[in-house]
Amino acid sequence: MLGIAAAVLFFIAFLINAADIATNDVFSSVNVMLLGLICLALHVAGIGAGRPARRR
């Protein structure tokens, strides 16, 4: 789930950057990209996988 959120955030950051949309400092393309990287790092770490791993 966090991987999908990261992809959406990267796409939004791309649109802000490509369309040269003037936003405030909070929603700049770099900040949105960093939020995407955080989501991607959490996804790779296994947090937010949606189901627990089966252990034996």
Side-chain angles (χ1 to χ4, degrees):
M1 189 67 178
L2 286 173
I4 295 170
V8 169
L9 287 171
F10 285 138
F11 182 70
I12 291 171
F14 171 74
L15 286 179
I16 291 173
N17 192 18
D20 201 23
I21 297 172
T23 60
N24 58 7
D25 291 335
V26 176
F27 293 111
S28 68
S29 64
V30 174
N31 287 345
V32 175
M33 182 184 62
L34 289 175
L35 288 174
L37 285 173
I38 289 170
C39 288
L40 189 62
L42 290 173
H43 174 74
V44 170
I47 298 171
R51 57 183 170 171
R54 298 183 78 188
R55 295 185 182 175
R56 294 184 177 192

